[in-house]
Amino acid sequence: PKKKISKTKSLRSDHVDDDDDDISVYGRVEASAFVSRDVRMERAARRAIAAKVLTEKLLAGYSTIEAEEETCSCKKCGNQFLLNEAGTKECVVCPVIKSDLTRVTKRMVLEDPQHQVKRSLEAELRSLRKRAIVKERIAKDYVEAEGAALRNKREAEQA
């Protein structure tokens, strides 16, 4: 059973009632905080696709089903079935989601300011790593050259 949220019991984040059925508002973390940004963007893309497809189909002559909730919603995507011109019940969203989800999600990611910052920081990190590798090679070459010079000097002194 789900726990009830208490808005009046306590403002302390660790408050839990004796009956353990109540958790304070400040003691819980929003469920969306646990969902990654990429998952939220994919969900938004799914909603955008569904809204567009449903609108297009309704304007094209499809109609909604007047029935119980369980029989008029698709079990895969959760969107409402529509009746086509032949009167057959069908999900118009699932086929489009299959074909368009990757493209729409990629476009949303490219337009997202946080992902743009992330990409620029990742590019900068790659650049810094390349420069570090070059500097490491230069330092290694320098150490080897110094070692060779010291060996030559010792050999000259011993001879």
Side-chain angles (χ1 to χ4, degrees):
K2 292 186 177 179
K3 297 192 182 255
K4 296 180 284 182
I5 305 299
S6 167
K7 295 182 181 178
T8 59
K9 292 288 183 183
S10 173
L11 295 179
R12 289 184 21 236
S13 63
D14 58 345
H15 172 74
V16 177
D17 276 357
D18 294 334
D19 63 358
D20 203 28
D21 286 337
D22 237 271
I23 299 176
S24 76
V25 173
Y26 299 98
R28 73 179 172 97
V29 177
E30 291 295 325
S32 63
F34 292 113
V35 179
S36 76
R37 185 165 181 77
D38 293 335
V39 171
R40 287 194 305 261
M41 291 188 82
E42 182 180 323
R43 288 180 184 167
R46 286 177 182 271
R47 284 191 303 271
I49 291 169
K52 180 181 175 189
V53 170
L54 289 171
T55 302
E56 287 173 355
K57 293 297 183 176
L58 288 170
L59 292 173
Y62 282 64
S63 59
T64 59
I65 299 172
E66 303 287 332
E68 293 180 21
E69 185 66 31
E70 292 178 7
T71 59
C72 68
S73 294
C74 177
K75 294 192 185 309
K76 287 183 182 177
C77 69
N79 289 293
Q80 187 174 11
F81 286 122
L82 296 180
L83 291 174
N84 60 17
E85 292 85 10
T88 309
K89 174 174 82 168
E90 68 176 288
C91 178
V92 295
V93 177
C94 283
V96 179
I97 283 180
K98 277 184 181 178
S99 64
D100 289 1
L101 184 61
T102 304
R103 181 183 50 79
V104 171
T105 304
K106 189 172 187 174
R107 188 187 76 230
M108 290 177 78
V109 166
L110 291 174
E111 293 171 356
D112 182 45
Q114 287 186 350
H115 278 276
Q116 290 173 355
V117 170
K118 179 182 174 186
R119 283 192 304 277
S120 70
L121 290 174
E122 287 172 344
E124 185 178 345
L125 181 61
R126 282 191 300 274
S127 172
L128 290 171
R129 284 182 176 157
K130 286 178 183 177
R131 289 195 327 207
I133 289 170
V134 168
K135 288 185 177 190
E136 185 179 344
R137 287 180 188 156
I138 291 170
K140 185 178 178 182
D141 291 344
Y142 179 76
V143 168
E144 288 175 359
E146 282 291 314
L150 285 173
R151 280 192 298 275
N152 290 342
K153 184 178 178 182
R154 282 189 208 133
E155 289 173 2
E157 289 176 354
Q158 289 176 353

